[in-house]
Amino acid sequence: MLSGTELKRASTYHRDQDRRRFLTACWLLRTTAAAQLGVSPADVAVERRCPDCDKPHGKPYVRSVGIELHVSVSHAGNRVAVALSTAGALGVDVEEVPTGPVDGLAQCALSPAELAVLQALPEHKRNAAFARMWVCKEAVLKATGHGLRIPPDQVEVSSPQEDPALLGWPLDIHPSTVQIHPLDPGGGYAGVVAVIAGDLPITVSESDALDLRPIQLSAAVSMAA
């Protein structure tokens, strides 16, 4: 069901697990989008646009008639997540909770205020806390399509002990228009989906890839393990 472009890109991965994650993500995106559009997975028109080059990578877009379906994809470890919404642009991120020290990563990825929050936590809670803040940053930057072209330490999110929220970033989009909802990707992982939907109420429906069927979309996340 995949396109020639997707298969060609898959062939460029040197590690088998990276290639399998990419192929699974392509399959899951096409299958979940097809369920919403009423077409076969092979007929889902997927584009990946890089703003910096002409290569087919970056934020995926689904071209369709009659419904504006926003999508996002994330994969880490043995998790692959696809999010879909008709409410507005969205980004999903799932990450493994680091098992080693996160001090170096935190210095690059967190703002001074976020670093202070992290360092105030007991050491055994810092890895999960860092992962929670990191997925929020990734998800909101995926929603806009900027990705890590914006330094993550310029994006400030709420404390990991609070409901996930965007507090500030260097974009003209007001942080209050971005809603972040936590996901449950299982032990050892952190995940959220962010939707740029203003004050439109968003309900997130989370399902396993084994249970693929059309659903009424506000924001939906399907996950493969």
Side-chain angles (χ1 to χ4, degrees):
M1 69 175 65
L2 305 189
S3 69
T5 299
E6 289 165 330
L7 294 173
K8 182 178 180 180
R9 183 178 170 190
S11 70
T12 65
Y13 286 94
H14 298 295
R15 299 197 310 167
D16 184 62
Q17 63 260 44
D18 294 332
R19 183 168 56 255
R20 287 176 177 273
R21 273 193 292 263
F22 174 74
L23 289 171
T24 301
C26 291
W27 164 81
L28 187 58
L29 172 59
R30 287 180 170 276
T31 303
T32 52
Q36 304 307 318
L37 300 174
V39 300
S40 70
D43 291 332
V44 175
V46 180
E47 294 180 357
R48 292 173 176 82
R49 310 169 192 165
C50 176
D52 298 325
C53 69
D54 59 356
K55 294 182 179 179
H57 57 215
K59 183 178 175 66
Y61 296 86
V62 171
R63 290 188 288 107
S64 60
V65 177
I67 178 174
E68 187 175 14
L69 188 61
H70 303 276
V71 299
S72 183
V73 177
S74 180
H75 40 81
N78 63 359
R79 295 291 189 275
V80 174
V82 167
L84 309 94
S85 179
T86 55
L90 81 169
V92 66
D93 195 53
V94 174
E95 301 286 346
E96 288 186 280
V97 175
T99 56
V102 296
D103 293 345
L105 291 170
Q107 290 289 338
C108 299
L110 303 185
S111 70
E114 292 167 336
L115 274 173
V117 169
L118 187 71
Q119 291 167 353
L121 293 173
E123 189 169 349
H124 69 279
K125 292 186 176 181
R126 291 179 186 174
N127 285 23
F130 172 79
R132 171 67 175 271
M133 288 189 283
W134 176 256
V135 293
C136 291
K137 291 167 181 273
E138 279 253 43
V140 298
L141 291 176
K142 282 185 174 183
T144 66
H146 286 85
L148 294 180
R149 295 194 309 279
I150 293 181
D153 62 349
Q154 294 183 18
V155 178
E156 190 152 357
V157 297
S158 58
S159 164
Q161 297 101 329
E162 301 171 343
D163 291 337
L166 175 64
L167 303 181
W169 59 354
L171 297 178
D172 292 335
I173 304 169
H174 197 278
S176 65
T177 67
V178 183
Q179 301 181 38
I180 306 177
H181 296 262
L183 302 176
D184 182 17
Y189 290 86
V192 298
V193 60
V195 188
I196 304 176
D199 57 2
L200 181 69
I202 296 294
T203 299
V204 175
S205 172
E206 190 173 357
S207 61
D208 189 273
L210 296 176
D211 185 28
L212 292 173
R213 62 184 186 275
I215 57 175
Q216 291 298 112
L217 278 180
S218 176
V221 180
S222 290
M223 200 166 302

